[in-house]
Amino acid sequence: MENVLGLVALAAGLIIGLGAVGACIGIGIMGSKYLEAAARQPELMNELQTKMFLLAGLIDAAFLIGVGIAMMFAFANPFVLK
């Protein structure tokens, strides 16, 4: 039971780290596809840009939800018995 706090810290680090990597990869792929689509059809650039920023916000929101869950486990850990 002594290692629970260390494992929670490890899990919180993994949640934040892997979430950040996933969000960065997702936004990078989405940005490259936006540039491809804008180069092929420049007249749709404004519509595509609006959708790209909306999706970037949703991808970032998913990462921030993971950070919130990791912080909950780090500071208000329900697994540590008092």
Side-chain angles (χ1 to χ4, degrees), residues 34-57:
Y34 165 71
L35 290 176
E36 272 183 34
R40 289 181 186 200
Q41 293 184 339
E43 66 273 3
L44 294 178
M45 188 181 293
N46 289 332
E47 289 179 37
L48 293 172
Q49 186 177 21
T50 303
K51 291 176 184 172
M52 184 194 70
F53 283 128
L54 180 66
L55 286 174

Side-chain angles (χ1 to χ4, degrees):
M1 216 46 192
E2 298 86 28
N3 291 336
V4 172
L5 193 59
L7 291 175
V8 168
L10 181 65
L14 284 173
I15 289 171
I16 293 172
L18 293 176
V21 167
C24 290
I25 290 172
I27 289 177
I29 291 172
M30 183 190 57
S32 71
K33 296 296 181 180
Y34 165 71
L35 290 176
E36 272 183 34
R40 289 181 186 200
Q41 293 184 339
E43 66 273 3
L44 294 178
M45 188 181 293
N46 289 332
E47 289 179 37
L48 293 172
Q49 186 177 21
T50 303
K51 291 176 184 172
M52 184 194 70
F53 283 128
L54 180 66
L55 286 174
L58 291 174
I59 291 170
D60 197 39
F63 165 66
L64 291 177
I65 289 170
V67 169
I69 291 171
M71 292 296 116
M72 181 191 72
F73 284 140
F75 295 115
N77 189 358
F79 301 115
V80 175
L81 300 174
K82 294 180 183 181

